[in-house]
Amino acid sequence: MRQTAGTLNRTWLTILGVLVVAVGAALLLQANGTLHTLLDTARPRTSVVTGDLHAFFAQPWVAATMLIIGVIIGVLGLLWVIAQIPRKNPAGDYRLHDDASQGFTLCDPSVLSTAVEKQINTLPGVITSAALLRGTARAPDLTLKVTVNDRADVQEVIHRIQTSTLPELANALEVPLQRSGLQIDVSGRTQSTGTVVQSTGTVVY
Amino acid sequence: MSRHGQRSTRLRHRPSRAVPALIVGLLLLAAGVALVWLSITRLVNGSWPSLLEGPRDWLAALTWNDPATWQIGTAAVVVGVILLLCALIPGGYNAIAIEASGVGDEAPPVQEQETVMTCRAVAHLAKARCGQIDGVRTASATATTGRVHVNVTTFLHEPGDLRARITDAVRARLEETGLSPVPEVTATVRSRD
């Protein structure tokens, strides 16, 4: 149901990985003299820092530059950490009619989601459900998470959702759903009521 | 760093690499905070913090072929390769697709549809099915997209065909659930007095 930052993570990990490998490889090539031979860089026995570091760091613009770089790196790191929080990203209000001359009709998608959940919760074998609407009123996008007990007829639950719940939602919105995602979960608690009869005692013939 | 609009993503997906991303993000944040603190200290006091003197002297004396340079270069290559592996190794899917049967003419008014069951749910289903088989004392199950393995303990001294009955029953349950493809089912049976 909740969305994570998979693509973002892969992209930035790849970029940083390539950069760090390139820096490391360049350092090793410079250390063993290969880079000096190929590109005529500094000799391996020379000092890494050629100038006077004390004089360099004494210049006022160095601190200002470091401050800006620090802020950029820190903000990027913070944004990346925040992006790891899984988010629902629900839809805003659906604008069912947006013609100003005839009046506006707004619909809170959570109202529809609650109605969908209530209907699904009445299906046999369903313990609980969560519905989330995204997209727009013209292209609604429904994500469902349905938790069933371990004896439920999963195909029957799916069939009932597809032939009853989804058409009713589409009717209410007067458009077919753009996309529907249904995640079936099974409760970890063993179902021990309803159809199980525990026999105790002694039967005497 | 926005992620998605208000569209849903696939329910069946690979790992999001949150742990390496979180580690690298926190390291970047720490580096940024350290740089800002050092710069502000310099701007306010007019001199760099004394803890910078050690690294500054070390850097001034460092040569390109110093063992420390080799170590830093090697460490950078290793860290970079680890980051690349984290990004490029795809990892397993979190769920298995379910094929809905019997919808027929009553196809739902949906343009694109996805129905899945999480691997954890598949494991719960397999475990519960095992618990219903005569002779099974306790059962536990693990599931991936390609394989379901159940560990069963039994009261029976000689389990006989119990393992076959368990795998058949679990496979039948997964088939009737509509998993596509149906994972391979394996079982380990141990006798307990």
Side-chain angles (χ1 to χ4, degrees), chain A residues 3 57 83 141 162 179 182, chain B residues 3 7-8 48 113-114:
Chain A
Q3 296 176 333
F57 277 103
D141 189 332
Q162 290 186 341
R179 191 168 180 278
L182 171 58
Chain B
R3 296 176 299 180
R7 287 274 158 216
S8 59
W48 292 98
Q113 203 165 5
E114 182 188 23

Side-chain angles (χ1 to χ4, degrees), chain B residues 102-128:
Chain B
V103 176
D105 297 335
E106 305 170 275
V110 181
Q111 292 178 14
E112 187 188 343
Q113 203 165 5
E114 182 188 23
T115 307
V116 302
M117 180 177 276
T118 58
C119 292
R120 194 178 62 170
V122 173
H124 285 158
L125 208 60
K127 179 189 168 188

Side-chain angles (χ1 to χ4, degrees), chain A residues 8 14 17 19 29-30 41 44 64 66 69 73 78-79 83 87 106 109 121 123 135 141 144 146 155 168 176 188 205:
Chain A
L8 177 86
T14 306
L19 281 176
L29 290 173
Q30 173 65 23
T41 54
M66 271 180 63
I69 293 171
I73 291 176
L78 186 62
L79 287 176
R87 287 176 197 167
L106 300 180
N121 288 346
L123 298 178
D141 189 332
L144 283 169
V146 178
Q155 282 293 329
E168 285 178 20
Y205 292 97

Side-chain angles (χ1 to χ4, degrees), chain A residues 3-6 9-10 13-14 16-18 20-21 24-25 27-28 30-32 42-49 53-54 57-58 63 66-67 70-71 73-74 76-81 83-85 87 89-92 134-135 139 141 143 150-152 154-155 158-159 162-163 166-167 170 176-188, chain B residues 1 3-11 15-18 20-22 24-26 28-29 31-32 35-36 38-40 42-43 48 56-57 59-60 62-65 69-70 72-74 76-77 79-81 83-84 86-88 98-103 106 108-118 120-121 124-125 128 132 173 176-178:
Chain A
Q3 296 176 333
T4 53
N9 291 346
R10 279 196 303 278
L13 286 172
T14 306
L16 288 174
V18 169
V20 175
V21 165
L27 209 56
L28 290 177
Q30 173 65 23
N32 70 9
R43 290 180 183 281
R45 288 183 183 177
T46 56
S47 182
V48 173
V49 181
L53 267 184
H54 289 269
F57 277 103
M66 271 180 63
L67 180 64
V71 168
I73 291 176
L76 284 177
L78 186 62
L79 287 176
W80 200 6
V81 170
Q84 303 312 311
I85 301 168
R87 287 176 197 167
N89 291 328
R134 299 188 178 101
D141 189 332
T143 305
D150 53 39
R151 297 186 178 193
V154 175
Q155 282 293 329
I158 295 170
H159 184 260
Q162 290 186 341
T163 56
L166 298 185
L177 300 178
Q178 181 83 20
R179 191 168 180 278
S180 155
L182 171 58
Q183 179 182 315
I184 302 287
D185 217 342
V186 178
S187 170
Chain B
M1 292 197 176
R3 296 176 299 180
H4 313 285
Q6 288 186 334
R7 287 274 158 216
S8 59
T9 50
R10 307 285 299 179
L11 291 172
S16 66
R17 284 83 165 170
L22 206 57
V24 178
L26 287 173
L28 285 175
L29 180 62
L35 281 176
V36 168
L38 290 170
S39 316
I40 290 176
R42 166 74 174 85
L43 292 172
W48 292 98
R56 198 167 48 192
D57 295 340
L59 194 61
L62 189 68
T63 57
W64 285 113
N65 63 352
T69 314
W70 283 91
I72 293 168
T74 308
V77 170
V79 169
V81 168
L83 291 178
L84 280 174
C86 288
L88 300 178
I98 295 180
E99 272 185 10
S101 61
V103 176
E106 305 170 275
V110 181
Q111 292 178 14
E112 187 188 343
Q113 203 165 5
E114 182 188 23
T115 307
V116 302
M117 180 177 276
T118 58
R120 194 178 62 170
H124 285 158
L125 208 60
Q132 296 158 5
R173 179 69 171 121
E176 76 183 33
T177 301

